[in-house]
Amino acid sequence: MGCLQSTQDIAGETRRRPKSIGEIVVFVPGLRIPMPLDFSEPIGDGLSKSLVERLSALRTRIVIMAGQEAPMTTKPRRTATQHGGSTLSDLQRALEDYLPVLLGLVENGNKLKHNLQFCWINQEDDVEETTMSDSWYEVLSVLHLMAVLLLSEANYLLLYNTSADGYQSKAFEECKREAIDIFLKAAGYLDFAVQQVLPQLPLELRNDLPLDLTEGVLKALCLQALGQGVEIQLGMAIDSSKATMAVKRRLACEMVKYWQQAQGYIMDLPLANGWGEKHKLFIKWKQVEAKAIAYYLHGLILEEGNTEGSAEIAAAALQAAEEYLKESKRACESFHLAPPISRNPPLWGACKYLAEKIPENISSKTINWDSRKHEMIMQVAPALPDFMLSLKPDEYQLPSIHPSWNGL
């Protein structure tokens, strides 16, 4: 049975709380940082000296690198930091190197699974740090950090966007394709954590996990990754002369479903501090934004219909799009003003299309539409089509246990 220890005071000066994080395309919660751990005393003679040293060296490397990287996760991407500091890719490799060795503590009923006190600094929970004596908690924390690092990498890639005159380079098109792959990989880590790692923890420990690692937050992050992947696909479809309006509408409707599901998992969680509250506001903003573009595309398709009342239904959809656009602008402002303060990069893809087309096309089409309160407009808006979700998390499996455990 693992035990738990949490404190709100000890890690206060270690937890990163920047005042401003610059431009954001992808929301990235602050990095959870592992605290130093001495493997030798609690393990005693249970493992060989070389294996203890390997575990200690690999984890210490992550402690140092995560501490260096945490304040920089939303800064412009770097290929290397000054004074030989780590990069995101270096930290990702360090985690990948550590995981196979760590798994020796949890596989095959290892009696040492509960001997170590793993401590991590939280970001979305009011409790500053959480310590648990269960090696599955360490595995869960590692997978979460690996996923968050990928979201950071996607954010950097997508910040290489249009220039001031709206020009998009071929390099940026490649960045968008790469970002989709990164989102699916991050979703794979998170989905595996929910499906395979959380059930390994006793119920009492699952109930005491920090909010950062609760099932709701993990699922919301997973769905966020998938939703942002579809958003890129939609932007590429909008820029393509070959994509039909039906294809664009389907992608927009799928995007709405991803964000609605994410909202459902996170809305009732007590995420009240900086990162947690900002996380909620981001999902709310993206959900409303997705509805605006979905209703707009749906309205354009309805306009082409010849059935009785199709014009009125189309007008209702377009009016809903306009209302959701107004609401999304307010939600966007609330998100960026919430600490840590952030800002939008230049618009591109679906967001640029939304900002340009809805005001341009709707005003003339709904000019005779009676002015209604927001709630009444939503009541008469037609339902969006329901499509099966196409993007799925990449399949992920834990690596094999490191050979250093052979014979133990």
Side-chain angles (χ1 to χ4, degrees):
M1 181 78 59
C3 66
L4 171 140
Q5 173 188 1
S6 295
T7 174
Q8 293 179 302
D9 302 318
I10 299 174
E13 301 201 358
T14 312
R15 180 150 68 165
R16 303 310 199 260
R17 288 293 173 80
K19 294 182 179 180
S20 176
I21 52 178
E23 295 181 346
I24 280 186
V25 177
V26 182
F27 174 79
V28 181
L31 297 188
R32 295 186 74 244
I33 305 169
M35 296 292 282
L37 171 64
D38 183 358
F39 281 87
S40 58
E41 291 188 10
I43 289 180
D45 297 329
L47 297 178
S48 66
K49 181 180 179 181
S50 62
L51 185 51
V52 171
E53 289 176 347
R54 182 186 293 274
L55 277 166
S56 180
L58 289 171
R59 195 177 191 277
T60 299
R61 181 183 173 205
I62 293 168
V63 170
I64 295 171
M65 294 172 70
Q68 291 174 339
E69 196 64 36
M72 305 297 292
T73 52
T74 53
K75 301 297 181 183
R77 183 163 63 150
R78 307 163 317 287
T79 53
T81 55
Q82 293 181 344
H83 313 300
S86 66
T87 64
L88 290 181
S89 58
D90 292 332
L91 180 52
Q92 190 76 259
R93 282 193 294 272
L95 292 163
E96 292 169 357
D97 290 343
Y98 174 52
L99 193 52
V101 185
L102 169 65
L103 289 176
L105 291 172
V106 299
E107 295 292 341
N108 302 321
N110 195 307
K111 297 179 180 180
L112 300 174
K113 183 172 73 171
H114 301 301
N115 285 30
L116 295 159
Q117 296 279 323
F118 295 103
C119 180
W120 286 69
I121 297 171
N122 304 315
Q123 294 293 349
E124 298 197 82
D125 199 304
D126 282 337
V127 174
E128 298 281 354
E129 64 181 43
T130 301
T131 301
M132 290 187 176
S133 59
D134 192 312
S135 297
W136 280 113
Y137 168 64
E138 179 83 343
V139 174
L140 181 63
S141 297
V142 167
L143 288 176
H144 175 266
L145 181 52
M146 289 169 67
V148 170
L149 290 174
L150 286 177
L151 294 179
S152 297
E153 181 65 16
N155 188 51
Y156 298 150
L157 284 172
L158 296 174
L159 284 177
Y160 282 89
N161 51 32
T162 57
S163 61
D165 60 1
Y167 172 74
Q168 290 190 10
S169 66
K170 290 184 179 179
F172 181 47
E173 294 304 307
E174 289 301 316
C175 284
K176 289 190 286 187
R177 293 185 178 88
E178 185 178 347
I180 294 174
D181 292 337
I182 290 173
F183 283 133
L184 297 182
K185 188 173 182 180
Y189 290 153
L190 294 162
D191 184 62
F192 184 87
V194 169
Q195 302 298 331
Q196 303 297 329
V197 180
L198 278 179
Q200 302 293 337
L201 289 167
L203 181 60
E204 58 268 30
L205 284 190
R206 292 205 299 273
N207 291 336
D208 286 328
L209 283 170
L211 287 172
D212 310 55
L213 299 182
T214 55
E215 182 175 350
V217 170
L218 295 176
K219 285 185 173 181
L221 271 178
C222 178
L223 289 160
Q224 171 191 326
L226 297 174
Q228 297 206 262
V230 173
E231 182 179 353
I232 297 174
Q233 290 182 328
L234 175 58
M236 296 172 74
I238 287 170
D239 292 336
S240 172
S241 59
K242 297 180 180 179
T244 65
M245 189 66 69
V247 167
K248 297 171 187 176
R249 181 181 64 173
R250 176 180 181 125
L251 290 170
C253 290
E254 287 186 31
M255 190 164 61
V256 170
K257 289 183 69 174
Y258 283 119
W259 289 113
Q260 282 182 331
Q261 290 180 19
Q263 176 84 345
Y265 283 118
I266 205 172
M267 63 185 299
D268 293 327
L269 294 178
L271 295 166
N273 68 42
W275 286 117
E277 180 63 23
K278 200 170 183 73
H279 194 174
K280 278 188 172 181
L281 291 171
F282 181 77
I283 289 177
K284 178 181 178 181
W285 164 37
K286 299 305 289 186
Q287 179 191 19
V288 175
E289 184 181 70
K291 285 183 177 180
I293 192 166
Y295 268 106
Y296 174 67
L297 295 170
H298 187 41
L300 294 184
I301 290 179
L302 289 173
E303 278 191 324
E304 299 173 358
N306 297 319
T307 60
E308 183 179 353
S310 59
E312 289 78 9
I313 298 174
L318 293 172
Q319 185 67 29
E322 191 170 29
E323 285 297 307
Y324 278 124
L325 176 60
K326 294 174 185 176
E327 186 180 347
S328 77
K329 289 179 178 179
R330 292 193 296 269
C332 175
E333 183 177 3
S334 296
F335 165 73
H336 286 303
L337 289 178
I341 296 171
S342 54
R343 63 182 185 272
N344 260 347
L347 295 179
W348 55 272
C351 296
K352 184 177 180 181
Y353 179 81
L354 178 69
E356 292 177 350
K357 292 296 184 181
I358 290 185
E360 171 188 322
N361 288 0
I362 286 184
S363 297
S364 61
K365 293 173 181 177
T366 62
I367 193 168
N368 295 322
W369 188 264
D370 292 339
S371 176
R372 288 181 169 86
K373 292 181 179 180
H374 176 81
E375 293 78 7
M376 293 183 66
I377 292 173
M378 295 305 106
Q379 286 177 5
V380 299
L384 291 171
D386 186 18
F387 297 105
M388 293 288 292
L389 297 175
S390 56
L391 280 189
K392 304 294 183 184
D394 280 353
E395 289 190 13
Y396 175 75
Q397 295 294 326
L398 290 172
S400 301
I401 299 176
H402 193 273
S404 57
W405 286 93
N406 290 347
L408 295 178

